[in-house]
Amino acid sequence: MSSSLFPVILAGGKGERFWPLSRQDRPKQFLSLDGSSRSLLQSTAERLITFAGGWNDLWVITSNQLGQGVQQQLPDLPSPNLLIEPQGRDTAAAVAWTSLEIQKRYGDDAIIGFFPSDHWIADLEAFERTLDAASQLAANTAAIVTLGIKPSFPSTGYGYIEQGEKFGSFNELPAYHVNRFTEKPNREIAETFLSTGRFSWNSGMFVFRAGVVLEELYAHAPEIIEPLVKHGVDIYPQLPKKSIDYALMERTNLAYVLPAEFGWDDLGDWNAIERLLKKPDAANVELATHVGLDTQGAIVYATNPEDVIVTIGLEDVVIVRDRNVTLIVNKERTQEIKQVLKTLQSDPRFNHLL
């Protein structure tokens, strides 16, 4: 196991597709969605702390609105290791700023890993083996390593990575040059991707040396890295809002992929609850007091155990009751929750619901 990896948790997301449970004062990463007593952020920190060698080398970057909440969730995290963005500018700026800070403290050869705060991982041993392999590759090669997830079905909700020529093996796991990153495909294209055996889901997890990623940012995203170096974090609100995929990964020639299998879900919307918790013999997933008649394929959630949800003749719906909001949506349309939130944002009557 590598002891030189500096894991960074990306914890600035809003988790809007888990509304109304996920709100501005309580975003998705602060919630427990897997049936455990730990929040997603706490679970992420717990599985990365071994690689960090302790709290002193674990880092978190989050938004200004969530900094206090992160401190409450991770009280052992040293305050210098918590970077608080003055304004959210997507993941390219977050990666650039954090990499600069770690390089200042530990030098160009520091191996950095970036991990979203809201992922679920089943097989921790396989995850650690994959992460160690990625660290080995990054330590010995000018590489920006992405962890690809071997697809189990033709998902239209994930981006894909096409593997090219095999580069070598690390921890008995093959590593490949990346041919290309592609956006979320339609069903037909996704099925074609799976049939080739050359595509992985894009997990959004990356490993690289500090000096390597900073040099590539200078080459492909100077509009982000140069102002940060010159002006520091004060320039943050003026930086362009770009994802690390768009700003760097789709442009660099140093991208490598490790196709991995460790039981993964990005918990993108309410349907993830079914994937995690559905029992084979159960008609529904019930995280509430639910009385149902001829109801099947439903996901039912309530934060107040005294609330009773009664359904009759429903199929394939999500029902969520949280505080002063009830959400009812067809499972195939949960991605559209973000559109409803835009409507709520535009009406002052509903701002307190966000």
Side-chain angles (χ1 to χ4, degrees):
M1 181 178 296
S2 172
S3 60
S4 59
L5 178 71
F6 297 93
V8 179
I9 301 175
L10 296 163
K14 299 177 181 178
E16 292 179 325
R17 286 170 292 182
F18 269 97
W19 183 87
L21 189 60
S22 178
R23 306 201 197 187
Q24 291 178 352
D25 64 336
R26 189 188 59 194
K28 178 175 64 168
Q29 56 268 35
F30 292 174
L31 304 174
S32 174
L33 297 172
D34 60 359
S36 74
S37 60
R38 299 182 304 279
S39 72
L40 297 177
L41 174 61
Q42 289 167 334
S43 294
T44 301
E46 184 176 296
R47 64 174 169 261
L48 292 173
I49 200 72
T50 301
F51 274 87
W55 286 99
N56 286 338
D57 290 334
L58 180 70
W59 294 64
V60 177
I61 183 165
T62 191
S63 66
N64 186 44
Q65 297 91 337
L66 303 180
Q68 185 175 357
V70 171
Q71 290 175 322
Q72 292 172 348
Q73 292 249 321
L74 304 177
D76 294 323
L77 182 74
S79 56
N81 292 16
L82 175 59
L83 301 185
I84 298 177
E85 298 175 292
Q87 183 175 328
R89 306 311 294 159
D90 215 322
T91 52
V95 168
W97 182 28
T98 314
S99 298
L100 280 170
E101 293 301 317
I102 293 177
Q103 182 223 27
K104 289 176 187 176
R105 195 184 299 185
Y106 299 105
D108 283 341
D109 289 334
I111 301 171
I112 309 172
F114 280 86
F115 306 90
S117 61
D118 53 1
H119 288 182
W120 172 84
I121 290 173
D123 189 339
L124 294 182
E125 184 177 342
F127 174 71
E128 290 179 357
R129 184 169 62 251
T130 304
L131 193 49
D132 190 42
S135 299
Q136 291 177 28
L137 174 54
N140 294 286
T141 309
I144 298 179
V145 187
T146 181
L147 304 189
I149 306 298
K150 289 187 177 180
S152 55
F153 64 96
S155 172
T156 59
Y158 298 141
Y160 284 74
I161 304 167
E162 183 181 17
Q163 65 194 41
E165 181 182 354
K166 183 177 179 180
F167 177 73
S169 292
F170 300 83
N171 259 16
E172 300 181 354
L173 296 175
Y176 301 87
H177 291 278
V178 171
N179 266 0
R180 59 171 169 147
F181 289 81
T182 66
E183 299 298 325
K184 300 173 182 178
N186 60 35
R187 176 83 181 192
E188 183 179 357
I189 293 175
E191 290 175 346
T192 300
F193 285 172
L194 260 67
S195 69
T196 68
R198 298 195 310 270
F199 286 82
S200 300
W201 289 334
N202 185 358
S203 72
M205 293 183 274
F206 305 95
V207 178
F208 38 67
R209 273 182 281 143
V212 171
V213 75
L214 292 175
E215 186 174 336
E216 287 298 282
L217 285 168
Y218 274 111
H220 302 288
E223 72 280 7
I224 294 174
I225 191 67
E226 290 179 0
L228 274 173
V229 171
K230 185 175 181 179
H231 301 287
V233 71
D234 291 340
I235 200 68
Y236 220 88
Q238 299 178 42
L239 297 178
K241 192 173 184 179
K242 293 182 179 180
S243 71
I244 192 63
D245 284 338
Y246 178 76
L248 180 59
M249 298 307 296
E250 295 178 6
R251 293 169 165 79
T252 181
N253 292 320
L254 302 182
Y256 295 76
V257 60
L258 277 170
E261 292 181 283
F262 40 66
W264 171 88
D265 200 300
D266 76 339
L267 302 181
D269 62 25
W270 281 105
N271 289 308
I273 298 299
E274 184 173 62
R275 293 193 295 270
L276 291 188
L277 302 179
K278 179 73 164 63
K279 297 178 181 178
D281 57 345
N284 307 291
V285 176
E286 299 178 352
L287 297 170
T289 303
H290 174 226
V291 179
L293 176 63
D294 295 331
T295 294
Q296 60 182 357
I299 300 168
V300 186
Y301 189 105
T303 51
N304 186 347
E306 295 183 359
D307 287 349
V308 180
I309 297 176
V310 180
T311 63
I312 302 174
L314 296 183
E315 186 173 353
D316 295 334
V317 296
V318 177
I319 303 169
V320 181
R321 175 68 181 167
D322 178 65
R323 291 181 274 185
N324 51 355
V325 175
T326 301
L327 168 73
I328 304 171
V329 58
N330 186 285
K331 287 197 296 189
E332 294 185 356
R333 302 187 65 177
T334 55
Q335 299 285 322
E336 297 174 45
I337 292 174
K338 295 179 74 170
Q339 296 180 28
V340 173
L341 289 180
K342 291 180 180 178
T343 302
L344 298 179
Q345 289 169 355
S346 65
D347 191 329
R349 293 178 302 163
F350 302 130
N351 285 175
H352 67 290
L353 304 179
L354 300 174

Short mmCIF file of all heavy atoms in Angstrom, two decimals, residues 1-49:
data_model
loop_
_atom_site.label_atom_id
_atom_site.label_comp_id
_atom_site.label_asym_id
_atom_site.label_seq_id
_atom_site.Cartn_x
_atom_site.Cartn_y
_atom_site.Cartn_z
N MET A 1 0.83 -1.19 0.00
CA MET A 1 0.00 0.00 0.00
C MET A 1 0.87 1.25 0.00
O MET A 1 1.83 1.33 0.75
CB MET A 1 -0.92 0.01 1.22
CG MET A 1 -1.84 1.23 1.29
SD MET A 1 -2.93 1.15 2.73
CE MET A 1 -3.88 -0.30 2.31
N SER A 2 0.52 2.21 -0.86
CA SER A 2 1.29 3.45 -0.93
C SER A 2 1.02 4.31 0.29
O SER A 2 -0.11 4.46 0.73
CB SER A 2 0.91 4.22 -2.20
OG SER A 2 1.50 5.50 -2.20
N SER A 3 2.09 4.89 0.85
CA SER A 3 1.92 5.79 1.99
C SER A 3 2.16 7.23 1.59
O SER A 3 2.17 8.11 2.45
CB SER A 3 2.89 5.39 3.11
OG SER A 3 4.23 5.48 2.64
N SER A 4 2.36 7.50 0.27
CA SER A 4 2.73 8.83 -0.17
C SER A 4 1.58 9.54 -0.87
O SER A 4 1.79 10.61 -1.43
CB SER A 4 3.93 8.76 -1.11
OG SER A 4 3.64 7.95 -2.23
N LEU A 5 0.39 8.97 -0.85
CA LEU A 5 -0.74 9.59 -1.52
C LEU A 5 -1.40 10.62 -0.61
O LEU A 5 -1.63 10.36 0.57
CB LEU A 5 -1.77 8.53 -1.92
CG LEU A 5 -3.04 9.05 -2.60
CD1 LEU A 5 -2.72 9.56 -4.00
CD2 LEU A 5 -4.11 7.97 -2.66
N PHE A 6 -1.70 11.78 -1.17
CA PHE A 6 -2.44 12.82 -0.47
C PHE A 6 -3.86 12.86 -1.04
O PHE A 6 -4.08 13.44 -2.10
CB PHE A 6 -1.76 14.18 -0.63
CG PHE A 6 -0.39 14.24 -0.01
CD1 PHE A 6 0.74 13.97 -0.78
CD2 PHE A 6 -0.24 14.54 1.33
CE1 PHE A 6 2.01 14.00 -0.21
CE2 PHE A 6 1.03 14.58 1.91
CZ PHE A 6 2.15 14.30 1.14
N PRO A 7 -4.81 12.23 -0.38
CA PRO A 7 -6.17 12.22 -0.91
C PRO A 7 -6.85 13.57 -0.66
O PRO A 7 -6.70 14.18 0.40
CB PRO A 7 -6.87 11.11 -0.11
CG PRO A 7 -5.79 10.41 0.65
CD PRO A 7 -4.69 11.40 0.82
N VAL A 8 -7.61 14.00 -1.67
CA VAL A 8 -8.38 15.24 -1.58
C VAL A 8 -9.84 14.89 -1.84
O VAL A 8 -10.17 14.27 -2.85
CB VAL A 8 -7.90 16.28 -2.61
CG1 VAL A 8 -8.74 17.55 -2.50
CG2 VAL A 8 -6.42 16.59 -2.44
N ILE A 9 -10.70 15.29 -0.93
CA ILE A 9 -12.13 15.05 -1.08
C ILE A 9 -12.79 16.30 -1.66
O ILE A 9 -12.65 17.39 -1.11
CB ILE A 9 -12.80 14.68 0.26
CG1 ILE A 9 -12.15 13.43 0.86
CG2 ILE A 9 -14.30 14.47 0.08
CD1 ILE A 9 -12.67 13.07 2.24
N LEU A 10 -13.46 16.13 -2.79
CA LEU A 10 -14.21 17.22 -3.41
C LEU A 10 -15.59 17.26 -2.76
O LEU A 10 -16.43 16.39 -3.02
CB LEU A 10 -14.32 16.99 -4.92
CG LEU A 10 -13.00 16.98 -5.69
CD1 LEU A 10 -13.18 16.34 -7.06
CD2 LEU A 10 -12.46 18.41 -5.85
N ALA A 11 -15.84 18.26 -1.93
CA ALA A 11 -17.05 18.26 -1.11
C ALA A 11 -17.88 19.52 -1.30
O ALA A 11 -18.58 19.96 -0.38
CB ALA A 11 -16.68 18.10 0.37
N GLY A 12 -17.84 20.10 -2.49
CA GLY A 12 -18.57 21.35 -2.70
C GLY A 12 -19.87 21.21 -3.44
O GLY A 12 -20.54 22.21 -3.72
N GLY A 13 -20.27 19.97 -3.79
CA GLY A 13 -21.47 19.78 -4.59
C GLY A 13 -22.75 20.09 -3.84
O GLY A 13 -22.80 20.11 -2.61
N LYS A 14 -23.82 20.31 -4.60
CA LYS A 14 -25.12 20.65 -4.02
C LYS A 14 -26.03 19.44 -3.88
O LYS A 14 -26.95 19.45 -3.06
CB LYS A 14 -25.81 21.71 -4.89
CG LYS A 14 -25.04 23.01 -5.02
CD LYS A 14 -25.75 23.97 -5.94
CE LYS A 14 -24.99 25.29 -6.10
NZ LYS A 14 -25.69 26.20 -7.04
N GLY A 15 -25.84 18.41 -4.70
CA GLY A 15 -26.70 17.24 -4.61
C GLY A 15 -28.15 17.54 -4.90
O GLY A 15 -29.06 17.03 -4.24
N GLU A 16 -28.40 18.38 -5.91
CA GLU A 16 -29.75 18.87 -6.16
C GLU A 16 -30.74 17.76 -6.52
O GLU A 16 -31.94 17.88 -6.25
CB GLU A 16 -29.72 19.93 -7.26
CG GLU A 16 -29.03 21.21 -6.84
CD GLU A 16 -28.99 22.23 -7.96
OE1 GLU A 16 -28.86 21.83 -9.13
OE2 GLU A 16 -29.09 23.43 -7.66
N ARG A 17 -30.26 16.69 -7.13
CA ARG A 17 -31.19 15.64 -7.55
C ARG A 17 -31.65 14.77 -6.38
O ARG A 17 -32.46 13.87 -6.57
CB ARG A 17 -30.54 14.79 -8.66
CG ARG A 17 -30.51 15.50 -10.00
CD ARG A 17 -29.68 14.77 -11.02
NE ARG A 17 -28.26 14.80 -10.67
CZ ARG A 17 -27.30 14.26 -11.43
NH1 ARG A 17 -27.62 13.65 -12.55
NH2 ARG A 17 -26.05 14.32 -11.05
N PHE A 18 -31.12 15.05 -5.17
CA PHE A 18 -31.65 14.41 -3.96
C PHE A 18 -32.53 15.37 -3.16
O PHE A 18 -32.83 15.10 -2.00
CB PHE A 18 -30.51 13.90 -3.08
CG PHE A 18 -30.12 12.48 -3.37
CD1 PHE A 18 -29.06 12.19 -4.20
CD2 PHE A 18 -30.83 11.42 -2.83
CE1 PHE A 18 -28.70 10.88 -4.48
CE2 PHE A 18 -30.49 10.12 -3.08
CZ PHE A 18 -29.43 9.84 -3.92
N TRP A 19 -32.94 16.47 -3.77
CA TRP A 19 -33.90 17.36 -3.14
C TRP A 19 -35.23 16.60 -3.02
O TRP A 19 -35.55 15.78 -3.86
CB TRP A 19 -34.07 18.62 -4.00
CG TRP A 19 -35.00 19.64 -3.42
CD1 TRP A 19 -34.67 20.62 -2.54
CD2 TRP A 19 -36.40 19.77 -3.67
NE1 TRP A 19 -35.78 21.36 -2.23
CE2 TRP A 19 -36.87 20.84 -2.91
CE3 TRP A 19 -37.31 19.06 -4.46
CZ2 TRP A 19 -38.19 21.25 -2.91
CZ3 TRP A 19 -38.64 19.44 -4.47
CH2 TRP A 19 -39.07 20.53 -3.70
N PRO A 20 -36.00 16.81 -1.95
CA PRO A 20 -35.87 17.84 -0.91
C PRO A 20 -35.03 17.43 0.29
O PRO A 20 -34.87 18.22 1.22
CB PRO A 20 -37.32 18.06 -0.48
CG PRO A 20 -37.95 16.71 -0.65
CD PRO A 20 -37.30 16.12 -1.88
N LEU A 21 -34.51 16.19 0.30
CA LEU A 21 -33.66 15.80 1.42
C LEU A 21 -32.36 16.59 1.42
O LEU A 21 -31.87 17.03 2.45
CB LEU A 21 -33.37 14.30 1.37
CG LEU A 21 -32.67 13.70 2.59
CD1 LEU A 21 -33.51 13.89 3.84
CD2 LEU A 21 -32.36 12.23 2.36
N SER A 22 -31.78 16.78 0.24
CA SER A 22 -30.56 17.56 0.09
C SER A 22 -30.94 19.02 -0.17
O SER A 22 -31.60 19.32 -1.16
CB SER A 22 -29.72 17.01 -1.08
OG SER A 22 -28.56 17.78 -1.26
N ARG A 23 -30.53 19.88 0.74
CA ARG A 23 -30.83 21.31 0.60
C ARG A 23 -29.56 22.12 0.87
O ARG A 23 -28.53 21.58 1.22
CB ARG A 23 -31.94 21.73 1.57
CG ARG A 23 -33.20 20.87 1.44
CD ARG A 23 -34.40 21.58 2.00
NE ARG A 23 -35.50 20.66 2.26
CZ ARG A 23 -36.72 21.04 2.62
NH1 ARG A 23 -36.99 22.32 2.77
NH2 ARG A 23 -37.67 20.14 2.86
N GLN A 24 -29.67 23.43 0.72
CA GLN A 24 -28.48 24.28 0.85
C GLN A 24 -27.84 24.14 2.22
O GLN A 24 -26.61 24.18 2.34
CB GLN A 24 -28.86 25.74 0.58
CG GLN A 24 -29.21 26.02 -0.87
CD GLN A 24 -29.63 27.45 -1.12
OE1 GLN A 24 -29.80 28.23 -0.17
NE2 GLN A 24 -29.82 27.82 -2.37
N ASP A 25 -28.63 23.96 3.26
CA ASP A 25 -28.08 23.85 4.60
C ASP A 25 -27.73 22.41 4.97
O ASP A 25 -27.19 22.16 6.04
CB ASP A 25 -29.06 24.42 5.63
CG ASP A 25 -30.37 23.63 5.69
OD1 ASP A 25 -30.71 22.97 4.69
OD2 ASP A 25 -31.05 23.68 6.73
N ARG A 26 -28.05 21.47 4.07
CA ARG A 26 -27.81 20.07 4.37
C ARG A 26 -27.65 19.31 3.04
O ARG A 26 -28.52 18.57 2.61
CB ARG A 26 -28.98 19.49 5.17
CG ARG A 26 -28.77 18.09 5.72
CD ARG A 26 -30.07 17.56 6.31
NE ARG A 26 -31.13 17.54 5.31
CZ ARG A 26 -32.43 17.39 5.59
NH1 ARG A 26 -32.82 17.26 6.84
NH2 ARG A 26 -33.34 17.37 4.63
N PRO A 27 -26.53 19.52 2.34
CA PRO A 27 -26.34 18.92 1.02
C PRO A 27 -26.12 17.41 1.12
O PRO A 27 -25.91 16.85 2.20
CB PRO A 27 -25.10 19.63 0.48
CG PRO A 27 -24.34 20.00 1.72
CD PRO A 27 -25.37 20.33 2.75
N LYS A 28 -26.15 16.78 -0.03
CA LYS A 28 -26.12 15.32 -0.10
C LYS A 28 -24.95 14.71 0.66
O LYS A 28 -25.10 13.68 1.33
CB LYS A 28 -26.09 14.88 -1.58
CG LYS A 28 -26.01 13.38 -1.76
CD LYS A 28 -26.10 12.97 -3.23
CE LYS A 28 -24.96 13.45 -4.06
NZ LYS A 28 -24.90 12.83 -5.39
N GLN A 29 -23.77 15.31 0.57
CA GLN A 29 -22.59 14.70 1.19
C GLN A 29 -22.67 14.67 2.72
O GLN A 29 -21.92 13.96 3.37
CB GLN A 29 -21.30 15.40 0.75
CG GLN A 29 -21.25 16.89 0.99
CD GLN A 29 -21.74 17.68 -0.19
OE1 GLN A 29 -22.66 17.28 -0.89
NE2 GLN A 29 -21.10 18.81 -0.47
N PHE A 30 -23.60 15.44 3.30
CA PHE A 30 -23.79 15.43 4.75
C PHE A 30 -24.85 14.41 5.19
O PHE A 30 -25.12 14.28 6.38
CB PHE A 30 -24.22 16.81 5.25
CG PHE A 30 -23.15 17.87 5.13
CD1 PHE A 30 -23.43 19.19 5.42
CD2 PHE A 30 -21.85 17.57 4.74
CE1 PHE A 30 -22.46 20.19 5.33
CE2 PHE A 30 -20.87 18.55 4.63
CZ PHE A 30 -21.18 19.86 4.93
N LEU A 31 -25.44 13.71 4.23
CA LEU A 31 -26.52 12.77 4.52
C LEU A 31 -26.01 11.34 4.58
O LEU A 31 -25.00 11.01 3.97
CB LEU A 31 -27.61 12.87 3.44
CG LEU A 31 -28.20 14.25 3.19
CD1 LEU A 31 -29.15 14.18 1.99
CD2 LEU A 31 -28.93 14.77 4.42
N SER A 32 -26.75 10.51 5.28
CA SER A 32 -26.52 9.07 5.24
C SER A 32 -27.57 8.46 4.34
O SER A 32 -28.77 8.53 4.63
CB SER A 32 -26.62 8.47 6.65
OG SER A 32 -26.53 7.06 6.59
N LEU A 33 -27.13 7.88 3.23
CA LEU A 33 -28.06 7.34 2.24
C LEU A 33 -27.90 5.84 2.02
O LEU A 33 -28.64 5.25 1.25
CB LEU A 33 -27.87 8.06 0.89
CG LEU A 33 -28.17 9.56 0.89
CD1 LEU A 33 -27.76 10.17 -0.44
CD2 LEU A 33 -29.65 9.83 1.16
N ASP A 34 -26.93 5.23 2.70
CA ASP A 34 -26.64 3.82 2.45
C ASP A 34 -27.08 2.92 3.59
O ASP A 34 -26.69 1.75 3.67
CB ASP A 34 -25.14 3.62 2.19
CG ASP A 34 -24.27 4.06 3.37
OD1 ASP A 34 -24.84 4.53 4.38
OD2 ASP A 34 -23.04 3.94 3.27
N GLY A 35 -27.89 3.45 4.49
CA GLY A 35 -28.36 2.64 5.59
C GLY A 35 -27.42 2.61 6.79
O GLY A 35 -27.70 1.96 7.79
N SER A 36 -26.27 3.30 6.70
CA SER A 36 -25.32 3.34 7.82
C SER A 36 -25.59 4.58 8.66
O SER A 36 -26.44 5.41 8.34
CB SER A 36 -23.88 3.37 7.30
OG SER A 36 -23.56 4.64 6.77
N SER A 37 -24.84 4.73 9.73
CA SER A 37 -24.97 5.92 10.57
C SER A 37 -24.04 7.04 10.15
O SER A 37 -24.07 8.13 10.72
CB SER A 37 -24.69 5.54 12.04
OG SER A 37 -23.36 5.04 12.17
N ARG A 38 -23.21 6.80 9.14
CA ARG A 38 -22.23 7.79 8.69
C ARG A 38 -22.73 8.52 7.45
O ARG A 38 -23.37 7.93 6.58
CB ARG A 38 -20.88 7.13 8.39
CG ARG A 38 -20.23 6.46 9.57
CD ARG A 38 -18.88 5.87 9.20
NE ARG A 38 -18.97 4.96 8.07
CZ ARG A 38 -19.37 3.69 8.16
NH1 ARG A 38 -19.71 3.17 9.32
NH2 ARG A 38 -19.40 2.93 7.09
N SER A 39 -22.38 9.78 7.37
CA SER A 39 -22.71 10.54 6.17
C SER A 39 -21.81 10.08 5.03
O SER A 39 -20.79 9.40 5.23
CB SER A 39 -22.51 12.04 6.41
OG SER A 39 -21.12 12.35 6.50
N LEU A 40 -22.17 10.48 3.82
CA LEU A 40 -21.34 10.13 2.66
C LEU A 40 -19.95 10.73 2.80
O LEU A 40 -18.94 10.09 2.46
CB LEU A 40 -22.01 10.61 1.38
CG LEU A 40 -23.37 10.00 1.05
CD1 LEU A 40 -23.94 10.63 -0.21
CD2 LEU A 40 -23.26 8.49 0.88
N LEU A 41 -19.86 11.96 3.29
CA LEU A 41 -18.55 12.60 3.49
C LEU A 41 -17.73 11.83 4.51
O LEU A 41 -16.53 11.59 4.30
CB LEU A 41 -18.75 14.04 3.93
CG LEU A 41 -17.48 14.82 4.33
CD1 LEU A 41 -16.52 14.91 3.16
CD2 LEU A 41 -17.85 16.21 4.84
N GLN A 42 -18.33 11.45 5.62
CA GLN A 42 -17.61 10.72 6.65
C GLN A 42 -17.16 9.35 6.14
O GLN A 42 -16.03 8.92 6.43
CB GLN A 42 -18.50 10.56 7.88
CG GLN A 42 -18.72 11.86 8.63
CD GLN A 42 -19.82 11.77 9.66
OE1 GLN A 42 -20.74 10.96 9.54
NE2 GLN A 42 -19.75 12.61 10.69
N SER A 43 -17.98 8.68 5.37
CA SER A 43 -17.60 7.38 4.81
C SER A 43 -16.44 7.52 3.83
O SER A 43 -15.53 6.69 3.79
CB SER A 43 -18.80 6.73 4.11
OG SER A 43 -19.82 6.40 5.03
N THR A 44 -16.47 8.59 3.02
CA THR A 44 -15.38 8.83 2.08
C THR A 44 -14.07 9.08 2.82
O THR A 44 -13.02 8.52 2.47
CB THR A 44 -15.71 10.04 1.18
OG1 THR A 44 -16.92 9.77 0.47
CG2 THR A 44 -14.60 10.29 0.17
N ALA A 45 -14.12 9.91 3.85
CA ALA A 45 -12.91 10.18 4.63
C ALA A 45 -12.39 8.91 5.30
O ALA A 45 -11.18 8.66 5.34
CB ALA A 45 -13.20 11.25 5.69
N GLU A 46 -13.28 8.09 5.79
CA GLU A 46 -12.89 6.87 6.49
C GLU A 46 -12.14 5.91 5.57
O GLU A 46 -11.14 5.31 5.97
CB GLU A 46 -14.13 6.19 7.05
CG GLU A 46 -13.85 4.96 7.89
CD GLU A 46 -15.12 4.38 8.50
OE1 GLU A 46 -15.74 5.08 9.32
OE2 GLU A 46 -15.49 3.26 8.14
N ARG A 47 -12.57 5.78 4.34
CA ARG A 47 -11.88 4.83 3.45
C ARG A 47 -10.60 5.41 2.86
O ARG A 47 -9.78 4.67 2.33
CB ARG A 47 -12.82 4.33 2.35
CG ARG A 47 -13.32 5.35 1.37
CD ARG A 47 -14.12 4.68 0.26
NE ARG A 47 -14.82 5.63 -0.57
CZ ARG A 47 -16.12 5.93 -0.42
NH1 ARG A 47 -16.84 5.35 0.51
NH2 ARG A 47 -16.69 6.83 -1.21
N LEU A 48 -10.42 6.74 2.96
CA LEU A 48 -9.20 7.35 2.43
C LEU A 48 -8.14 7.59 3.49
O LEU A 48 -6.98 7.83 3.16
CB LEU A 48 -9.53 8.68 1.74
CG LEU A 48 -10.36 8.59 0.45
CD1 LEU A 48 -10.76 9.98 -0.01
CD2 LEU A 48 -9.59 7.85 -0.65
N ILE A 49 -8.52 7.53 4.74
CA ILE A 49 -7.60 7.92 5.82
C ILE A 49 -6.40 6.99 5.89
O ILE A 49 -5.29 7.41 6.25
CB ILE A 49 -8.35 7.99 7.17
CG1 ILE A 49 -7.56 8.85 8.15
CG2 ILE A 49 -8.62 6.62 7.73
CD1 ILE A 49 -7.61 10.30 7.85
#
